[in-house]
Amino acid sequence: EEIAGLVEEADDNEAPADSAAERRMTERMRRHHDVVAGVHGNDAAFLCTKKAVLITAVVLAVVVYALFGMGDEPLLAISVNRGRHDDSQAENRQEPSRNRAPLRDQNGRIEIQYSCPAELKESINELGGYDPFYDPDEEPESENLTLFKETFRDDIFDGHAKTYTKLKEHMREFKKKFFVPYLKSGDVIYESACGIGLSLFYTLELLKEEGNITNITVYGNEYIPRNADTGNKLLNFLFEDGGNENHLGKICAGDSTDLSFVPSNSFDFVFTGYISPRWDPMELNLGDDLNYDVMRDICDAADDFDFDALEKRIENGKEKLNKNETKAVWAKALIGMAQVKQHLWFNHWLDHMIRIAKPGAPVVIELAAKPYCDTWGDYGGVDYGYWFVSGVETYGWDVVQDSIKIHLLNADKPNGRYHVFMLKNNHTSEDGNDN
């Protein structure tokens, strides 16, 4: 609550990047990372005595082999072998030529030279057909472009709850504060998981309305191939029809956790409208509704238990746990393990987004969600501390740690969605000049 208050204070005051409020917020985030980071190193920190640690260690070991065992494959092998840890993709990764001016055609479009994947690998989220968001719309908007142009501003898209017009207005202040100051006419933007491309389009409209920024070239990727195809058709149609003087590079069918086909250090601004979380991080494989019911029971078991009281009883010589105590400890361990996998999943998205951004360029995550146990009705995510501590210190993100900012979507809902802003490190070349 204390840290959420600092986030709200910085946001409500519209504090500049170097304000005392934001510096204090960042420092308190780091100082209290064990409280807010969810799982950072050892999620069993709720038990401080040697006996409690031993109990938790045994429980974790049992859970690993009982629920997450994968033969000879280690627990985290599926996640760790993706993203920047996947060296098997290194030889196929396309890197830009150094000191080469961007290729711009006669219409002002900047060409970033790379090819879309010939084959799309199955996402972890799609294993077993679990993820409902991987099902494309039955009737692609691109089948009737004239009708689409007349109606799209009053329609919802890409799973959003708001229409295009309402979502655009909902995002206006955030885009004005965190997009407009960092972009100029002629830049190149990339959106990871861009759906059918309409979030890119309203972003371009806002850039022109709020900053008179035009002549932007946009690129992106989308996991559903048919939606990627729809996005290319819709954006081409809108741009050719006078869509605020911008240009389409291309939208590839691609997995946001594996953008190895996109060259490094290529884009002036990289963002995602939403990081789809690991839908089943505990790999229960029970299906959508039942899986969430079980997750809620597990969250309740841990949330309703007084672990401080248990710690005191252990300190006073308690040797055994009763049934309810054992259930709560198991629930806490399961939640911690699930959050570790969620952290890894988010890292794979961010690792690639940061890599393809130019040195010093912004990287933005919109509509991030809190962990499932913190916010009923949402799909799961990470807490504020993940961005301030885990990303840089645990995963080594190539970003300026002091640049990381949290922007609450609604100050009245501290457990609701939020946005994250950060700047990639501005590397220096061998000759001492900034790249």
Side-chain angles (χ1 to χ4, degrees):
E1 293 174 353
E2 180 180 14
I3 291 173
L6 289 171
V7 176
E8 293 176 23
E9 175 187 348
D11 189 49
D12 292 343
N13 294 334
E14 293 294 319
D18 59 350
S19 71
E22 291 195 340
R23 290 198 304 272
R24 186 166 71 257
M25 176 186 70
T26 301
E27 181 59 31
R28 299 295 284 280
M29 285 286 190
R30 294 172 185 160
R31 190 180 308 151
H32 297 291
H33 70 272
D34 286 334
V35 177
V36 299
V39 179
H40 182 60
N42 180 7
D43 194 62
F46 65 92
L47 297 177
C48 301
T49 67
K50 293 182 179 179
K51 292 182 180 179
V53 172
L54 178 60
I55 292 170
T56 306
V58 172
V59 170
L60 286 172
V62 171
V63 174
V64 167
Y65 286 102
L67 294 181
F68 294 90
M70 302 176 187
D72 295 330
E73 188 173 9
L75 168 65
L76 301 179
I78 287 182
S79 292
V80 170
N81 287 337
R82 297 179 69 84
R84 68 170 181 164
H85 304 283
D86 190 353
D87 292 331
S88 65
Q89 299 292 328
E91 62 183 24
N92 297 322
R93 181 172 296 160
Q94 302 181 42
E95 301 294 339
S97 300
R98 298 295 181 185
N99 302 318
R100 177 182 295 177
L103 300 177
R104 191 183 296 271
D105 64 19
Q106 60 183 3
N107 296 318
R109 171 183 173 273
I110 292 180
E111 181 181 0
I112 307 296
Q113 295 181 314
Y114 65 92
S115 300
C116 296
E119 180 180 358
L120 184 60
K121 294 182 179 179
E122 189 175 48
S123 168
I124 296 174
N125 266 353
E126 197 179 15
L127 297 177
Y130 181 77
D131 186 357
F133 284 96
Y134 289 159
D135 295 330
D137 295 334
E138 293 183 1
E139 297 181 4
E141 288 84 345
S142 60
E143 290 186 358
N144 189 334
L145 293 174
T146 302
L147 178 63
F148 162 77
K149 180 184 175 183
E150 296 173 353
T151 61
F152 80 95
R153 295 184 184 276
D154 296 319
D155 288 340
I156 60 175
F157 65 97
D158 288 339
H160 291 291
K162 299 179 184 295
T163 65
Y164 177 96
T165 298
K166 290 182 178 180
L167 184 61
K168 174 183 172 181
E169 290 307 310
H170 196 60
M171 298 292 289
R172 180 179 293 274
E173 286 305 312
F174 175 73
K175 301 277 189 180
K176 180 179 178 180
K177 182 177 180 180
F178 290 101
F179 279 60
V180 172
Y182 298 92
L183 284 163
K184 64 183 184 304
S185 295
D187 278 348
V188 189
I189 293 177
Y190 189 98
E191 183 182 6
S192 179
C194 64
I196 60 173
L198 291 185
S199 61
L200 276 168
F201 192 70
Y202 79 68
T203 296
L204 296 176
E205 288 187 325
L206 290 173
L207 288 176
K208 182 175 183 179
E209 293 168 12
E210 298 295 339
N212 197 28
I213 299 170
T214 62
N215 196 26
I216 298 292
T217 304
V218 296
Y219 288 79
N221 71 279
E222 163 59 29
Y223 184 76
I224 304 171
R226 192 164 79 178
N227 285 356
D229 182 60
T230 297
N232 282 306
K233 292 178 180 177
L234 293 182
L235 289 178
N236 264 325
F237 173 73
L238 291 171
F239 291 156
E240 291 174 359
D241 194 53
N244 58 27
E245 309 165 66
N246 295 295
H247 318 281
L248 174 63
K250 58 188 167 188
I251 296 174
C252 291
D255 186 345
S256 291
T257 66
D258 183 10
L259 299 181
S260 55
F261 58 93
V262 182
S264 302
N265 305 315
S266 297
F267 299 95
D268 298 294
F269 201 110
V270 178
F271 78 103
T272 182
Y274 178 61
I275 293 183
S276 300
R278 281 289 301 269
W279 301 112
D280 187 13
M282 290 193 293
E283 300 177 21
L284 300 175
N285 297 319
L286 300 175
D288 193 355
D289 294 335
L290 184 56
N291 187 80
Y292 280 119
D293 289 342
V294 172
M295 278 293 298
R296 182 159 189 167
D297 289 341
I298 293 172
C299 294
D300 285 340
D303 187 53
D304 295 339
F305 188 77
D306 189 347
F307 286 100
D308 291 334
L310 175 60
E311 180 183 342
K312 292 179 180 179
R313 289 199 298 274
I314 292 176
E315 289 176 347
N316 292 331
K318 181 179 179 65
E319 297 294 339
K320 295 183 179 180
L321 301 180
N322 61 37
K323 184 176 181 180
N324 288 336
E325 291 169 343
T326 301
K327 180 180 178 181
V329 172
W330 274 74
K332 187 71 174 180
L334 284 168
I335 293 168
M337 295 173 65
Q339 200 59 35
V340 167
K341 286 198 168 186
Q342 200 69 269
H343 282 195
L344 285 166
W345 178 257
F346 270 61
N347 174 59
H348 298 328
W349 281 64
L350 263 293
D351 222 16
H352 282 282
M353 290 174 64
I354 294 166
R355 179 184 60 79
I356 67 176
K358 291 180 179 179
V363 176
V364 168
I365 302 88
E366 297 176 342
L367 300 174
K370 288 286 197 72
Y372 183 77
C373 289
D374 291 353
T375 309
W376 296 124
D378 215 323
Y379 300 102
V382 297
D383 213 330
Y384 302 141
Y386 170 79
W387 309 100
F388 287 90
V389 179
S390 297
V392 175
E393 297 185 6
T394 302
Y395 301 115
W397 290 345
D398 187 16
V399 300
V400 180
Q401 190 166 20
D402 290 341
S403 72
I404 301 174
K405 297 179 179 65
I406 301 292
H407 181 100
L408 296 181
L409 188 62
N410 188 337
D412 296 328
K413 297 180 179 179
N415 281 332
R417 295 287 182 89
Y418 60 96
H419 309 305
V420 185
F421 174 92
M422 63 187 73
L423 293 172
K424 184 173 180 176
N425 281 314
N426 196 1
H427 302 285
T428 301
S429 61
E430 294 180 0
D431 59 6
N433 296 319
D434 289 340
N435 289 335

